[in-house]
Amino acid sequence: MKIRFCIILLLQLIFLFPVDGQEREIDSLKNLVKTGNDSAKFYALAWLGFKENKQEDRYNYRMQALQFAEKIGNKKFQFEANKYLGFMCETMGVYDKAIEYYKQMEQLARKMDDAKLLSITFQHRGEILLDLKEHESALKWYRKRLNVARTIGQKSMGDAFNSLGTAFKELGQLDSAIHYHQLALKNRKATGQELRESYSLNNLGLVYKKKGDYDEAIRFLKQSLEIKTRIQDIEGMASSNINIGNTLNIQGRYKEALGYLERGIVFADSAENDIFLINGYEGAVSAYLENDNSKVAKYFDNLISLRDSRYDQSAVAQARDLEAKYHIEEKEKLFAIQKEKDALEKAALDQKNQSLKLQMYLALGVMVAVLALVFFVIRASLQRKKSNTILATQKAEIEQKNKDITDSINYARNIQEAMLPLEREMTDGLDEHFVYYKPKDIVSGDFYWISKRKSYTIIAVGDCTGHGVPGGFMSMLGHNVLNQVVNDDETTSPAQALTAINQKVLNTYRKDDDRQQIDGMDIAMCAINRSKMELTFSGALRPLWLIRGSEVIAHKGTKTAIGSANGDAFKDISMKLEKNDTIYLFSDGFPDQFGGELGKKLKSSGFRNLLLTISNLKLKDQKVKIDAFLKNWMGENEQLDDICIVGFRI
């Protein structure tokens, strides 16, 4: 209601000053931009975007309306401003920019969860693709609009069916066009939309006209005209009368056509619709040329005048062609006389000079050869353009598929990140700590995990086979089996946990005895009992490092990976803890990274030296130092593998 009130207020302010016309109206709008409330200011800027004379000024005001809507955070105004800018770019032929604005409309409609606005967006996307003759793509957006319309209500479904019918007509699939226009007609009848019902009847008539079934076309067009006459839709009456007249012209029923065309012209003139007038004048001139040449001038001068005022010289030239047809009888007589004279002259020339005839044939042969050469050049050029178009289409499809794959992987990353422990869970279990987590690709094969069981805090770092999507799947499996074994089975022994995890992974992957090798993972796991100041560690090919003072105490894991049917049994290693002991669990991504001046691996020794250098710092500062060191070490080298490091202090 507030927005509606502001629009009414805006229009009242505009028409307070009718005397000075356009200039005074624009001044009033500019004043409203300075003094009005937010709603009035927005609509004043938007209206200036329609009223200014210069195209550049109209665009700038519409852009100002968008910027103002973004400033005040009004998503509905942002939607409207993007619509105004998109439509302007579409009419200017700047289709790529128009599509960008329509994409912004879609995002805003989804944020507002407004199905009607989303339906409007899909309609615009379909219309611009229809203008670009990309009919299949237009159909995709119109089908989306239909899906949304089903959630809005019956009335909006008729418009969606109508758009699909129009698209199929442009595509040349006339039976499908008829099907959807009939659905639109049925819907509009059922919902009492009488005016739109007449539009559907008119559209069906035009499809049957294109199909060549002129009697059926006229039947639908007359039904449309009957409704428009009853509700006194003047512009619609103009359209239907002219459409019927032009269809009758095609059938050669010129006298009958003129009655409809003349009525349509009167209605079009009353509605001040120049497009309908031109269409009507053209039909009337054509009918009179075939029926009564003396009356052509009745509409011909109007047609030329109207076309001169609306179209460029190429359009005027087309209108002048009708004048040539008007004098067709005189020109045909002159042509016959000239043809006879040319024949006599040619016979005389043939008699006087046979050699000239031979030269003419020779010249004709050369001309044919040149034309053949031009034909082959043009055909080769067209084939090359066609190939380029196919390649461009294939490139666009590949780019779209790559985008879809990347979007899917990005969504998988969101799922994976949601699986990882929250910062408050890490803080609750470890107090001072850091987590350095850096996937090589979008999703990671490394993961970290934490749980509190009774008086124990249990933490693990996993390194799965591979990275990217395969590694991501394995990391999610590892995380799930850790939850099952530790949380559900309530074990606090890392060795028992790793043994159970290994068995679950084998049961998951090994469906028969023929599969000899499966993907697996390396895990370092420890359980901390703070009340007893004890730590129990077990590892599957991953170590635990404990720094006490200036000494690194390293505990190697068992030489058995998770997913191995054979190998050494996992064992618990227990150790007493002292205050300020710092423990590190990590994957192999950091020590295996290539870099430095010689482009070699950092190795475990280099990583150990780095940790010793920074071990006296606070854990959050250690993370910063580790990140800075890695960037410097890598230089121009690519990241080799996923990286995960968890450090915590007792």
Side-chain angles (χ1 to χ4, degrees), residues 515-533:
R515 187 167 180 175
Q516 300 299 318
Q517 184 176 357
I518 63 174
D519 296 330
M521 66 188 82
D522 305 336
I523 299 179
M525 178 185 291
C526 64
I528 306 161
N529 189 326
R530 291 186 181 277
S531 62
K532 295 182 180 181
M533 288 295 282

Side-chain angles (χ1 to χ4, degrees), residues 434-441 443-448 461-463 466-467 585-594 602 607 626-627 630-631 633-634 638-646:
F434 76 82
V435 176
Y436 187 73
Y437 182 73
K438 189 175 178 66
K440 177 187 184 298
D441 297 315
V443 292
S444 176
D446 289 357
F447 67 94
Y448 57 96
V461 169
D463 185 351
H467 47 77
L585 304 176
F586 52 91
S587 65
D588 61 4
F590 200 100
D592 283 352
Q593 180 60 47
F594 286 93
L602 178 65
F607 185 40
I626 287 172
D627 184 63
L630 179 66
K631 290 177 180 175
W633 175 258
M634 288 173 57
E638 281 188 354
Q639 184 175 332
L640 182 68
D641 199 359
D642 302 319
I643 296 172
C644 183
I645 306 168
V646 176

Side-chain angles (χ1 to χ4, degrees), residues 368-382:
V368 170
V370 170
L371 289 174
L373 178 62
V374 170
F375 168 79
F376 285 115
V377 170
I378 292 173
R379 188 177 69 170
S381 176
L382 291 174

Side-chain angles (χ1 to χ4, degrees), residues 122-123 125-145 163-164 167-168 170:
F122 291 162
Q123 178 68 23
R125 295 295 298 274
E127 286 174 354
I128 197 170
L129 288 166
L130 213 58
D131 289 343
L132 292 169
K133 307 302 181 185
E134 297 183 17
H135 303 116
E136 294 291 349
S137 298
L139 281 170
K140 181 186 75 172
W141 287 103
Y142 286 147
R143 287 192 175 103
K144 284 186 175 183
R145 187 194 177 192
S163 296
L164 283 164
F168 277 115
E170 293 300 318

Side-chain angles (χ1 to χ4, degrees), residues 4 54 57 62 72 79 155 161 179 202 219 269 310 316 348 356 375 380 412 456 464 545 577 618 622-623 628 632 649:
R4 183 179 178 185
K54 293 183 179 179
D57 292 338
R62 295 186 194 196
I72 64 175
F79 181 91
K155 283 191 175 182
F161 287 139
H179 170 72
N202 186 76
R219 185 173 73 85
D269 189 38
R310 289 188 56 86
V316 175
L356 184 60
F375 168 79
Y456 288 86
C464 301
W545 287 0
L577 295 172
K618 292 181 179 180
Q622 289 189 27
K623 180 179 178 179
N632 184 61
R649 181 167 287 155

Side-chain angles (χ1 to χ4, degrees), residues 21-247:
Q22 179 85 354
E23 184 177 347
R24 190 62 176 271
E25 181 179 346
I26 290 174
D27 289 341
S28 300
L29 288 167
K30 290 179 178 179
N31 183 58
L32 198 58
V33 171
K34 297 177 182 178
T35 60
N37 60 21
D38 286 350
S39 296
K41 186 178 293 186
F42 170 77
Y43 281 109
L45 286 168
W47 195 240
L48 282 165
F50 288 93
K51 300 299 290 184
E52 282 286 0
N53 293 322
K54 293 183 179 179
Q55 180 173 279
E56 182 181 358
D57 292 338
R58 293 198 299 274
Y59 184 85
N60 288 338
Y61 276 116
R62 295 186 194 196
M63 181 58 70
Q64 288 179 44
L66 174 59
Q67 292 167 350
F68 178 72
E70 291 172 343
K71 179 181 177 182
I72 64 175
N74 189 313
K75 290 186 175 60
K76 183 67 179 295
F77 286 173
Q78 291 175 45
F79 181 91
E80 293 295 327
N82 275 288
K83 181 173 71 174
Y84 301 149
L85 284 162
F87 182 74
M88 184 173 185
C89 288
E90 183 178 351
T91 56
M92 292 163 57
V94 188
Y95 295 113
D96 55 344
K97 193 67 176 175
I99 289 171
E100 288 301 317
Y101 286 120
Y102 292 154
K103 286 180 179 178
Q104 291 297 319
M105 288 169 60
E106 180 180 354
Q107 292 177 10
L108 289 162
R110 292 188 185 281
K111 287 178 181 178
M112 290 185 284
D113 194 22
D114 192 318
K116 288 186 178 180
L117 296 184
L118 195 61
S119 175
I120 291 170
T121 300
F122 291 162
Q123 178 68 23
H124 280 293
R125 295 295 298 274
E127 286 174 354
I128 197 170
L129 288 166
L130 213 58
D131 289 343
L132 292 169
K133 307 302 181 185
E134 297 183 17
H135 303 116
E136 294 291 349
S137 298
L139 281 170
K140 181 186 75 172
W141 287 103
Y142 286 147
R143 287 192 175 103
K144 284 186 175 183
R145 187 194 177 192
L146 178 59
N147 291 335
V148 174
R150 289 192 172 102
T151 68
I152 298 172
Q154 285 293 317
K155 283 191 175 182
S156 61
M157 288 176 63
D159 292 342
F161 287 139
N162 184 72
S163 296
L164 283 164
T166 301
F168 277 115
K169 178 191 173 189
E170 293 300 318
L171 195 59
Q173 297 181 21
L174 302 184
D175 290 338
S176 295
I178 290 169
H179 170 72
Y180 279 105
H181 280 311
Q182 286 176 336
L183 288 176
L185 176 62
K186 182 179 179 181
N187 174 274
R188 288 165 169 177
K189 280 184 177 180
T191 54
Q193 301 180 80
E194 197 170 27
L195 179 59
R196 280 182 160 79
E197 179 186 341
S198 73
Y199 295 163
S200 292
L201 290 165
N202 186 76
N203 289 337
L204 280 165
L206 293 178
V207 176
Y208 276 108
K209 178 184 175 184
K210 188 171 183 179
K211 197 175 182 181
D213 190 345
Y214 302 119
D215 289 338
E216 192 70 1
I218 290 171
R219 185 173 73 85
F220 279 110
L221 291 170
K222 285 183 177 180
Q223 289 180 37
S224 175
L225 176 60
E226 180 183 347
I227 295 174
K228 290 170 181 174
T229 302
R230 185 169 64 251
I231 63 178
Q232 285 300 291
D233 174 21
I234 301 301
E235 203 162 46
M237 292 161 68
S239 172
S240 293
N241 273 290
I242 292 169
N243 286 337
I244 293 170
N246 284 328
T247 308

